[in-house]
Amino acid sequence: MNSFFKYFSDIFHGVKSLLIGMSVTGRYFFSPGQIVTQQYPENRKDLQMFERFKGEVILIHDANNQHRCNGCGICENNCPNGSIEIISARVPGEDGKPKRIIDKHIYHLGMCTFCGLCVKNCPSNALGFSQEFEHAVFDRSKLNKVLNKPGSSIIKGVE
Amino acid sequence: MKEIVNLPVSKPEEEEYHINMGPQHPSTHGVLRLLVSLQGEIVKNLKPHCGYIHRGIEKMCEKDTYPQIIHLTDRMDYLSSHINNHAVCLLVEKALEIEVPERVQYIRTIMDELTRIQSHQLWWASFGMDLGGLTCFFYGLRDREMILDIWEETTGSRFLQSYNCPGGVMQDIHPNFQKKVHVFLKTFKKKIKDYEKILSGNVIFEQRSKGVGMLTKEDAISYGITGPSGRGSAWSCDIRKTEPYSMYSKVHFNEVLRYECDSYSRYMVRMQEMYESMNIIEQLIDNIPAGDYAARMKAVIKLPAGEYYQRVESARGELGVYVVSDGNKTPYRMKFRTPSFTNLSVLDHLSRDMKIADLVAIGGSLDLVIPDIDR
Ligand code: SF4
Ligand code: SF4
């Protein structure tokens, strides 16, 4: 007799537990606003990333195409996986002595792990992160970038 | 006429055969191959084959300076990346005898607990999915999104944050941080009730996890099963209690222990740990003291020659970091004792003489993260 009752009470409890679960899923089914997180790529136009978001490393240029990098190479030394290569050049300065300037600030986006050490350790705060996150390209050589824009120069008084 | 010879034929149900589960099996959550010997449906023997995602992190550490090592530890157990960072930072600070500012300790502890919650959320999601409840997967990921957003705003990354650095954290918390954590706690307290309604009491789930994968306390200790899996066997092994670090000695929380020793009890430990983590965050979030977000460190960090060891409680168990230093700016030898690797060792013991479908439940209840096994 006991096992007979148990049999039916098990069925009853089983069905009840399923119905409890379905009450939750049913609630979300009829109010989908609570479950949908983001409609990417539909919201691509007005998608705003957070200001600290580490999209890719950039060399910050101002409106006059000037940056703060003097080619010291500290970011290159701090990068754990060799994603940065600094090629510096020497040009005669105003006082006649040779001066070091950045020739090419090469950045391999494909190798970068976004640890942020280069940005943190740059003594003249020349680097930053952009909010760009759609990095997919068809050819991986496109992931090697030169960060200093053509014709750019260093802001006076930074070096 | 030739006589028909009756060759001895073994009955099919007695024959043992092997199948490979993985390396691309959805329920192993990564590239792990389990070589399973089966007799019919019964698991007789199980051999895990690791190494598919081995990256040689320990060897790579030997050429990296201590601040650079942090970003590699993110990539071991990617679901408790913040806790892994924390372990290395604690070790460096211990070796150099540096006192970090109190603000840093608060921030780190809150971040650790957020990490634990989101790790358990994702585990809940995938455990539910393994046992046939696809709905769980979407709900778990949805709620985890809130924590990822909080991180993204403060640390700049959603997943592998590299937020800790020896001496402190990389940047101060975002002004919105406290507000958002409050919103998260308030929301998630309601949402976790849904979790219990959907899965905890579900009859199918209970039948597939109760009494499956029995791990006695003695076995848990002898195999070294730490974390929620060990506490599901009533072994009190929480490093936050036994060797408190950061703020854990000053906050009140319970170490969750369950005594049923099966997959369901490991499940319940994690569910209750989410409540405890929220409890810890609530005690800290409004009292973050003002101050620096990092202690002053030398430009080049060199540990004095010697051996150092630091343990922390990650989302899956005890994480140990062992460093032998010869006084240089890079370690001479670095070794991680990762919880998932040790927890994997018990899988064979637990799944013997169980059905192959139970293997999925047992593996899920141990919460294995494959890059943490191989590292
Ligand atoms: S970006 Fe900064 S650290 Fe790198 S070379 Fe330029 S000035 Fe030096
Ligand atoms: S973010 Fe890290 S990995 Fe990327 S370039 Fe900077 S230092 Fe290198």
Side-chain angles (χ1 to χ4, degrees), chain A residues 10 13-15 17-18 20-21 23-29 34-38 49-55 77-81 112-117 120, chain B residues 63-64 67-68 71 75 135 138-139 142 145 149 152-158 160-162 165 169-175 180 191 194 197-198 201-204:
Chain A
D10 277 357
H13 283 296
V15 171
S17 80
L18 293 181
I20 289 175
S23 73
V24 176
T25 50
R27 198 176 77 229
Y28 286 120
F29 183 73
Q34 292 183 19
I35 188 98
V36 175
T37 50
Q38 266 193 38
M49 303 306 283
F50 292 111
E51 123 211 37
R52 290 185 186 177
F53 178 69
K54 299 194 257 190
N77 287 341
N78 268 292
C79 181
N81 41 38
C112 176
T113 50
F114 307 103
C115 63
L117 288 176
K120 184 176 169 233
Chain B
K63 75 153 195 33
D64 279 352
Q68 290 177 343
H71 92 289
R75 285 153 178 85
T135 318
F138 297 121
Y139 289 5
R142 171 201 61 188
E145 198 68 15
D149 274 347
E152 194 179 345
E153 196 164 33
T154 286
T155 73
S157 314
R158 300 163 62 76
L160 307 168
Q161 302 118 2
S162 307
C165 59
V169 288
M170 293 284 267
Q171 40 199 339
D172 206 353
I173 51 173
H174 195 273
K180 282 205 167 178
K191 295 276 163 73
D194 286 353
K197 277 188 198 160
I198 291 181
N202 186 297
V203 57
I204 303 169

Side-chain angles (χ1 to χ4, degrees), chain B residues 40-53:
Chain B
E41 241 191 312
I42 312 285
V43 178
K44 283 291 160 198
N45 191 350
L46 180 149
K47 283 200 192 80
H49 287 247
C50 329
Y52 287 90
I53 194 167

Side-chain angles (χ1 to χ4, degrees), chain A residues 57 75 78-84 107-108 111-119 127 129, chain B residues 71:
Chain A
V57 176
C75 53
N78 268 292
C79 181
N81 41 38
S83 308
I84 293 180
Y107 169 57
H108 303 286
M111 274 152 68
C112 176
T113 50
F114 307 103
C115 63
L117 288 176
C118 52
V119 176
L127 295 174
F129 280 110
Chain B
H71 92 289

Side-chain angles (χ1 to χ4, degrees), chain B residues 220-291:
Chain B
I221 293 175
S222 72
Y223 278 95
I225 307 302
T226 50
S229 311
R231 292 195 280 283
S233 299
W235 180 25
S236 150
C237 57
D238 196 333
I239 311 289
R240 295 176 293 171
K241 282 282 184 202
T242 53
E243 264 182 48
Y245 51 95
S246 286
M247 292 305 296
Y248 289 116
S249 54
K250 300 191 185 98
V251 291
H252 301 286
F253 66 103
N254 300 323
E255 181 177 4
V256 183
L257 290 181
R258 298 281 292 200
Y259 298 86
E260 299 94 326
C261 303
D262 55 4
S263 296
Y264 191 75
S265 97
R266 294 191 276 277
Y267 169 88
M268 285 315 279
V269 169
R270 291 197 179 87
M271 291 302 279
Q272 283 168 21
E273 270 193 6
M274 288 201 255
Y275 285 106
E276 290 301 326
S277 293
M278 286 197 275
N279 179 11
I280 295 174
I281 296 173
E282 267 174 356
Q283 291 173 41
L284 297 175
I285 188 72
D286 285 329
N287 313 321
I288 302 178

Side-chain angles (χ1 to χ4, degrees), chain A residues 62-151:
Chain A
D62 63 8
N64 307 328
N65 202 17
Q66 287 189 312
H67 54 74
R68 302 170 71 88
C69 172
N70 56 17
C72 67
I74 288 181
C75 53
E76 184 182 12
N77 287 341
N78 268 292
C79 181
N81 41 38
S83 308
I84 293 180
E85 276 175 60
I86 301 292
I87 299 174
S88 55
R90 294 206 173 255
V91 291
E94 280 149 18
D95 50 356
K97 283 187 201 143
K99 200 179 98 184
R100 184 189 57 207
I101 58 155
I102 182 90
D103 180 17
K104 274 188 185 146
H105 190 302
I106 301 171
Y107 169 57
H108 303 286
L109 174 61
M111 274 152 68
C112 176
T113 50
F114 307 103
C115 63
L117 288 176
C118 52
V119 176
K120 184 176 169 233
N121 286 309
C122 172
S124 45
N125 293 328
L127 295 174
F129 280 110
S130 80
Q131 269 77 43
E132 180 61 43
F133 65 94
E134 288 169 339
H135 292 313
V137 285
F138 280 105
D139 182 13
R140 73 171 175 187
S141 65
K142 291 204 179 114
L143 294 172
N144 304 334
K145 306 185 178 189
V146 177
L147 293 189
N148 50 334
K149 292 185 189 156

